[in-house]
Amino acid sequence: MTGQSGTARGFGTRAEVNIPIINEYRANRAEKGPDERGAGLLLLTTTGARSGLPRTSPLGYTTDAGHLVVVGAKGGAPGHPDWYRNLLVNPEVTVEQGPQTFRALATEAEGGERARLYERHVSLFPVYRGYEKKTDRLFPVVVLKRIDG
């Protein structure tokens, strides 16, 4: 059931749900580095594909060869997440990872690299297996390569 604001079951839009997560992350960012497996939570700020406005999303990440890897699962929804559609138009993004904030270039992994990175991601975030069962969509795997030092 959709409420007046166009949201499912009154939970709020994804942006509204993410606001407290983003605020808590920024308040405690020094404590939000990767865990011993190289996985963690980051904030990804993209430029809106249509609006041109900054859009921030909290995302689970893994690491590979010194780069960060995120996956566009969107909880198994039928469409790709907005952050992914935004970076297709504007691949330069801002990443907040623990106490660091930096610019990065987002590139989509393909073929064997995508499969390898996705399997590593799922091994650290097994909830993605459940998301896979909700959709026929192939989740994009995005590598974030730091560009400012």
Side-chain angles (χ1 to χ4, degrees):
M1 185 80 102
T2 302
Q4 289 180 342
S5 65
T7 61
R9 289 179 247 140
F11 289 114
T13 65
R14 181 158 308 269
E16 290 167 340
V17 169
N18 285 342
I19 288 170
I21 297 168
I22 292 166
N23 290 340
E24 192 273 335
Y25 186 96
R26 287 179 173 154
N28 299 297
R29 63 190 300 154
E31 302 168 13
K32 297 292 182 186
D35 66 14
E36 67 281 352
R37 307 167 302 158
L41 182 72
L42 60 76
L43 299 183
L44 179 70
T45 300
T46 58
T47 301
R50 291 181 299 213
S51 71
L53 298 173
R55 305 291 186 200
T56 301
S57 302
L59 301 172
Y61 72 88
T62 54
T63 57
D64 183 72
H67 304 299
L68 304 174
V69 178
V70 294
V71 173
K74 196 177 176 183
H80 292 310
D82 292 342
W83 63 261
Y84 171 73
R85 291 194 311 264
N86 290 343
L87 66 79
L88 290 176
V89 175
N90 301 298
E92 282 195 30
V93 298
T94 300
V95 176
E96 295 172 63
Q97 179 197 22
Q100 302 178 59
T101 299
F102 55 90
R103 301 287 298 154
L105 183 63
T107 57
E108 186 170 0
E110 297 178 342
E113 179 188 28
R114 184 219 171 267
R116 179 181 65 79
L117 294 174
Y118 183 73
E119 286 306 314
R120 171 148 167 61
H121 198 85
V122 171
S123 74
L124 297 176
F125 295 105
V127 68
Y128 283 71
R129 291 287 182 221
Y131 299 158
E132 289 174 351
K133 294 175 183 173
K134 296 180 180 181
T135 185
D136 293 329
R137 177 173 64 84
L138 186 66
F139 300 150
V141 175
V142 176
V143 179
L144 305 171
K145 297 179 181 177
R146 190 176 184 137
I147 57 176
D148 66 353

PDB file of all heavy atoms in Angstrom, residues 28-51:
ATOM      1  N   ASN A  28      30.057   9.447  13.844  1.00  0.00           N
ATOM      2  CA  ASN A  28      30.970   8.431  14.394  1.00  0.00           C
ATOM      3  C   ASN A  28      31.962   7.913  13.363  1.00  0.00           C
ATOM      4  O   ASN A  28      32.459   6.802  13.484  1.00  0.00           O
ATOM      5  CB  ASN A  28      30.156   7.251  14.948  1.00  0.00           C
ATOM      6  CG  ASN A  28      29.249   7.677  16.056  1.00  0.00           C
ATOM      7  OD1 ASN A  28      29.700   8.129  17.091  1.00  0.00           O
ATOM      8  ND2 ASN A  28      27.956   7.571  15.822  1.00  0.00           N
ATOM      9  N   ARG A  29      32.279   8.725  12.379  1.00  0.00           N
ATOM     10  CA  ARG A  29      33.055   8.261  11.225  1.00  0.00           C
ATOM     11  C   ARG A  29      34.423   7.699  11.571  1.00  0.00           C
ATOM     12  O   ARG A  29      34.919   6.820  10.877  1.00  0.00           O
ATOM     13  CB  ARG A  29      33.132   9.337  10.168  1.00  0.00           C
ATOM     14  CG  ARG A  29      33.835  10.596  10.603  1.00  0.00           C
ATOM     15  CD  ARG A  29      33.692  11.716   9.616  1.00  0.00           C
ATOM     16  NE  ARG A  29      34.261  11.335   8.347  1.00  0.00           N
ATOM     17  CZ  ARG A  29      33.872  11.844   7.200  1.00  0.00           C
ATOM     18  NH1 ARG A  29      32.936  12.745   7.162  1.00  0.00           N
ATOM     19  NH2 ARG A  29      34.442  11.461   6.092  1.00  0.00           N
ATOM     20  N   ALA A  30      35.061   8.168  12.615  1.00  0.00           N
ATOM     21  CA  ALA A  30      36.377   7.647  12.971  1.00  0.00           C
ATOM     22  C   ALA A  30      36.304   6.171  13.357  1.00  0.00           C
ATOM     23  O   ALA A  30      37.293   5.457  13.287  1.00  0.00           O
ATOM     24  CB  ALA A  30      36.991   8.457  14.104  1.00  0.00           C
ATOM     25  N   GLU A  31      35.124   5.714  13.750  1.00  0.00           N
ATOM     26  CA  GLU A  31      34.940   4.323  14.179  1.00  0.00           C
ATOM     27  C   GLU A  31      34.391   3.441  13.059  1.00  0.00           C
ATOM     28  O   GLU A  31      34.088   2.278  13.284  1.00  0.00           O
ATOM     29  CB  GLU A  31      33.961   4.290  15.357  1.00  0.00           C
ATOM     30  CG  GLU A  31      34.422   5.129  16.525  1.00  0.00           C
ATOM     31  CD  GLU A  31      33.328   5.337  17.562  1.00  0.00           C
ATOM     32  OE1 GLU A  31      32.307   4.633  17.503  1.00  0.00           O
ATOM     33  OE2 GLU A  31      33.506   6.219  18.403  1.00  0.00           O
ATOM     34  N   LYS A  32      34.257   3.969  11.849  1.00  0.00           N
ATOM     35  CA  LYS A  32      33.575   3.244  10.781  1.00  0.00           C
ATOM     36  C   LYS A  32      34.505   2.677   9.716  1.00  0.00           C
ATOM     37  O   LYS A  32      34.120   2.508   8.583  1.00  0.00           O
ATOM     38  CB  LYS A  32      32.552   4.169  10.094  1.00  0.00           C
ATOM     39  CG  LYS A  32      31.446   4.633  11.006  1.00  0.00           C
ATOM     40  CD  LYS A  32      30.566   3.493  11.382  1.00  0.00           C
ATOM     41  CE  LYS A  32      29.430   3.980  12.258  1.00  0.00           C
ATOM     42  NZ  LYS A  32      28.620   2.905  12.759  1.00  0.00           N
ATOM     43  N   GLY A  33      35.741   2.410  10.051  1.00  0.00           N
ATOM     44  CA  GLY A  33      36.665   1.835   9.081  1.00  0.00           C
ATOM     45  C   GLY A  33      36.292   0.399   8.745  1.00  0.00           C
ATOM     46  O   GLY A  33      35.352  -0.162   9.311  1.00  0.00           O
ATOM     47  N   PRO A  34      37.048  -0.233   7.851  1.00  0.00           N
ATOM     48  CA  PRO A  34      36.744  -1.615   7.483  1.00  0.00           C
ATOM     49  C   PRO A  34      37.009  -2.574   8.637  1.00  0.00           C
ATOM     50  O   PRO A  34      37.811  -2.296   9.521  1.00  0.00           O
ATOM     51  CB  PRO A  34      37.702  -1.883   6.317  1.00  0.00           C
ATOM     52  CG  PRO A  34      38.812  -0.918   6.508  1.00  0.00           C
ATOM     53  CD  PRO A  34      38.209   0.294   7.156  1.00  0.00           C
ATOM     54  N   ASP A  35      36.324  -3.703   8.610  1.00  0.00           N
ATOM     55  CA  ASP A  35      36.573  -4.717   9.611  1.00  0.00           C
ATOM     56  C   ASP A  35      37.784  -5.554   9.184  1.00  0.00           C
ATOM     57  O   ASP A  35      38.416  -5.282   8.165  1.00  0.00           O
ATOM     58  CB  ASP A  35      35.326  -5.559   9.876  1.00  0.00           C
ATOM     59  CG  ASP A  35      34.892  -6.411   8.694  1.00  0.00           C
ATOM     60  OD1 ASP A  35      35.673  -6.583   7.723  1.00  0.00           O
ATOM     61  OD2 ASP A  35      33.759  -6.917   8.722  1.00  0.00           O
ATOM     62  N   GLU A  36      38.084  -6.578   9.933  1.00  0.00           N
ATOM     63  CA  GLU A  36      39.268  -7.396   9.663  1.00  0.00           C
ATOM     64  C   GLU A  36      39.191  -8.131   8.329  1.00  0.00           C
ATOM     65  O   GLU A  36      40.197  -8.566   7.787  1.00  0.00           O
ATOM     66  CB  GLU A  36      39.503  -8.387  10.816  1.00  0.00           C
ATOM     67  CG  GLU A  36      38.456  -9.460  10.962  1.00  0.00           C
ATOM     68  CD  GLU A  36      37.175  -8.991  11.659  1.00  0.00           C
ATOM     69  OE1 GLU A  36      37.121  -7.852  12.184  1.00  0.00           O
ATOM     70  OE2 GLU A  36      36.200  -9.766  11.657  1.00  0.00           O
ATOM     71  N   ARG A  37      38.008  -8.251   7.762  1.00  0.00           N
ATOM     72  CA  ARG A  37      37.832  -8.922   6.471  1.00  0.00           C
ATOM     73  C   ARG A  37      37.979  -7.967   5.302  1.00  0.00           C
ATOM     74  O   ARG A  37      37.955  -8.387   4.154  1.00  0.00           O
ATOM     75  CB  ARG A  37      36.452  -9.576   6.387  1.00  0.00           C
ATOM     76  CG  ARG A  37      36.140 -10.502   7.544  1.00  0.00           C
ATOM     77  CD  ARG A  37      34.673 -10.874   7.574  1.00  0.00           C
ATOM     78  NE  ARG A  37      33.857  -9.676   7.667  1.00  0.00           N
ATOM     79  CZ  ARG A  37      32.581  -9.595   7.314  1.00  0.00           C
ATOM     80  NH1 ARG A  37      31.961 -10.640   6.849  1.00  0.00           N
ATOM     81  NH2 ARG A  37      31.926  -8.460   7.437  1.00  0.00           N
ATOM     82  N   GLY A  38      38.075  -6.660   5.588  1.00  0.00           N
ATOM     83  CA  GLY A  38      38.143  -5.671   4.514  1.00  0.00           C
ATOM     84  C   GLY A  38      36.774  -5.231   4.048  1.00  0.00           C
ATOM     85  O   GLY A  38      36.615  -4.727   2.945  1.00  0.00           O
ATOM     86  N   ALA A  39      35.756  -5.420   4.871  1.00  0.00           N
ATOM     87  CA  ALA A  39      34.392  -5.019   4.529  1.00  0.00           C
ATOM     88  C   ALA A  39      33.944  -3.946   5.503  1.00  0.00           C
ATOM     89  O   ALA A  39      34.444  -3.844   6.615  1.00  0.00           O
ATOM     90  CB  ALA A  39      33.450  -6.216   4.594  1.00  0.00           C
ATOM     91  N   GLY A  40      32.995  -3.151   5.081  1.00  0.00           N
ATOM     92  CA  GLY A  40      32.475  -2.118   5.960  1.00  0.00           C
ATOM     93  C   GLY A  40      31.360  -1.329   5.302  1.00  0.00           C
ATOM     94  O   GLY A  40      30.799  -1.736   4.289  1.00  0.00           O
ATOM     95  N   LEU A  41      31.084  -0.176   5.887  1.00  0.00           N
ATOM     96  CA  LEU A  41      30.059   0.729   5.388  1.00  0.00           C
ATOM     97  C   LEU A  41      30.736   2.013   4.955  1.00  0.00           C
ATOM     98  O   LEU A  41      31.636   2.513   5.636  1.00  0.00           O
ATOM     99  CB  LEU A  41      29.039   1.016   6.495  1.00  0.00           C
ATOM    100  CG  LEU A  41      27.869   1.913   6.113  1.00  0.00           C
ATOM    101  CD1 LEU A  41      26.894   1.156   5.197  1.00  0.00           C
ATOM    102  CD2 LEU A  41      27.133   2.375   7.361  1.00  0.00           C
ATOM    103  N   LEU A  42      30.318   2.549   3.823  1.00  0.00           N
ATOM    104  CA  LEU A  42      30.815   3.832   3.346  1.00  0.00           C
ATOM    105  C   LEU A  42      29.630   4.690   2.926  1.00  0.00           C
ATOM    106  O   LEU A  42      28.509   4.189   2.796  1.00  0.00           O
ATOM    107  CB  LEU A  42      31.811   3.666   2.193  1.00  0.00           C
ATOM    108  CG  LEU A  42      31.363   2.982   0.896  1.00  0.00           C
ATOM    109  CD1 LEU A  42      30.489   3.850   0.007  1.00  0.00           C
ATOM    110  CD2 LEU A  42      32.583   2.550   0.109  1.00  0.00           C
ATOM    111  N   LEU A  43      29.892   5.963   2.732  1.00  0.00           N
ATOM    112  CA  LEU A  43      28.893   6.858   2.155  1.00  0.00           C
ATOM    113  C   LEU A  43      29.365   7.217   0.759  1.00  0.00           C
ATOM    114  O   LEU A  43      30.500   7.670   0.577  1.00  0.00           O
ATOM    115  CB  LEU A  43      28.731   8.125   2.996  1.00  0.00           C
ATOM    116  CG  LEU A  43      28.275   7.937   4.438  1.00  0.00           C
ATOM    117  CD1 LEU A  43      28.103   9.299   5.123  1.00  0.00           C
ATOM    118  CD2 LEU A  43      26.983   7.142   4.530  1.00  0.00           C
ATOM    119  N   LEU A  44      28.503   7.003  -0.217  1.00  0.00           N
ATOM    120  CA  LEU A  44      28.799   7.320  -1.610  1.00  0.00           C
ATOM    121  C   LEU A  44      27.930   8.495  -2.020  1.00  0.00           C
ATOM    122  O   LEU A  44      26.707   8.419  -1.941  1.00  0.00           O
ATOM    123  CB  LEU A  44      28.487   6.116  -2.507  1.00  0.00           C
ATOM    124  CG  LEU A  44      28.745   6.331  -3.993  1.00  0.00           C
ATOM    125  CD1 LEU A  44      30.235   6.418  -4.270  1.00  0.00           C
ATOM    126  CD2 LEU A  44      28.114   5.206  -4.809  1.00  0.00           C
ATOM    127  N   THR A  45      28.571   9.575  -2.448  1.00  0.00           N
ATOM    128  CA  THR A  45      27.824  10.731  -2.942  1.00  0.00           C
ATOM    129  C   THR A  45      28.015  10.818  -4.441  1.00  0.00           C
ATOM    130  O   THR A  45      29.137  10.939  -4.937  1.00  0.00           O
ATOM    131  CB  THR A  45      28.271  12.036  -2.250  1.00  0.00           C
ATOM    132  OG1 THR A  45      28.047  11.889  -0.838  1.00  0.00           O
ATOM    133  CG2 THR A  45      27.469  13.226  -2.763  1.00  0.00           C
ATOM    134  N   THR A  46      26.897  10.706  -5.144  1.00  0.00           N
ATOM    135  CA  THR A  46      26.875  10.819  -6.599  1.00  0.00           C
ATOM    136  C   THR A  46      26.214  12.142  -6.964  1.00  0.00           C
ATOM    137  O   THR A  46      25.606  12.800  -6.121  1.00  0.00           O
ATOM    138  CB  THR A  46      26.064   9.661  -7.226  1.00  0.00           C
ATOM    139  OG1 THR A  46      24.724   9.685  -6.704  1.00  0.00           O
ATOM    140  CG2 THR A  46      26.691   8.306  -6.918  1.00  0.00           C
ATOM    141  N   THR A  47      26.323  12.496  -8.231  1.00  0.00           N
ATOM    142  CA  THR A  47      25.632  13.673  -8.748  1.00  0.00           C
ATOM    143  C   THR A  47      24.383  13.178  -9.463  1.00  0.00           C
ATOM    144  O   THR A  47      24.475  12.308 -10.336  1.00  0.00           O
ATOM    145  CB  THR A  47      26.531  14.452  -9.729  1.00  0.00           C
ATOM    146  OG1 THR A  47      27.710  14.838  -9.025  1.00  0.00           O
ATOM    147  CG2 THR A  47      25.828  15.683 -10.263  1.00  0.00           C
ATOM    148  N   GLY A  48      23.224  13.711  -9.080  1.00  0.00           N
ATOM    149  CA  GLY A  48      21.964  13.282  -9.676  1.00  0.00           C
ATOM    150  C   GLY A  48      21.987  13.383 -11.197  1.00  0.00           C
ATOM    151  O   GLY A  48      22.363  14.424 -11.736  1.00  0.00           O
ATOM    152  N   ALA A  49      21.607  12.312 -11.865  1.00  0.00           N
ATOM    153  CA  ALA A  49      21.645  12.269 -13.327  1.00  0.00           C
ATOM    154  C   ALA A  49      20.741  13.324 -13.955  1.00  0.00           C
ATOM    155  O   ALA A  49      21.079  13.917 -14.969  1.00  0.00           O
ATOM    156  CB  ALA A  49      21.250  10.875 -13.824  1.00  0.00           C
ATOM    157  N   ARG A  50      19.604  13.587 -13.349  1.00  0.00           N
ATOM    158  CA  ARG A  50      18.675  14.593 -13.880  1.00  0.00           C
ATOM    159  C   ARG A  50      18.771  15.907 -13.141  1.00  0.00           C
ATOM    160  O   ARG A  50      18.724  16.972 -13.748  1.00  0.00           O
ATOM    161  CB  ARG A  50      17.245  14.069 -13.830  1.00  0.00           C
ATOM    162  CG  ARG A  50      16.985  12.937 -14.808  1.00  0.00           C
ATOM    163  CD  ARG A  50      15.561  12.474 -14.726  1.00  0.00           C
ATOM    164  NE  ARG A  50      15.312  11.988 -13.374  1.00  0.00           N
ATOM    165  CZ  ARG A  50      14.507  11.024 -13.049  1.00  0.00           C
ATOM    166  NH1 ARG A  50      13.821  10.424 -13.972  1.00  0.00           N
ATOM    167  NH2 ARG A  50      14.354  10.642 -11.809  1.00  0.00           N
ATOM    168  N   SER A  51      18.919  15.842 -11.819  1.00  0.00           N
ATOM    169  CA  SER A  51      18.881  17.064 -11.011  1.00  0.00           C
ATOM    170  C   SER A  51      20.213  17.794 -10.945  1.00  0.00           C
ATOM    171  O   SER A  51      20.247  19.006 -10.732  1.00  0.00           O
ATOM    172  CB  SER A  51      18.439  16.732  -9.578  1.00  0.00           C
ATOM    173  OG  SER A  51      19.466  16.018  -8.906  1.00  0.00           O
TER     174      SER A  51
END
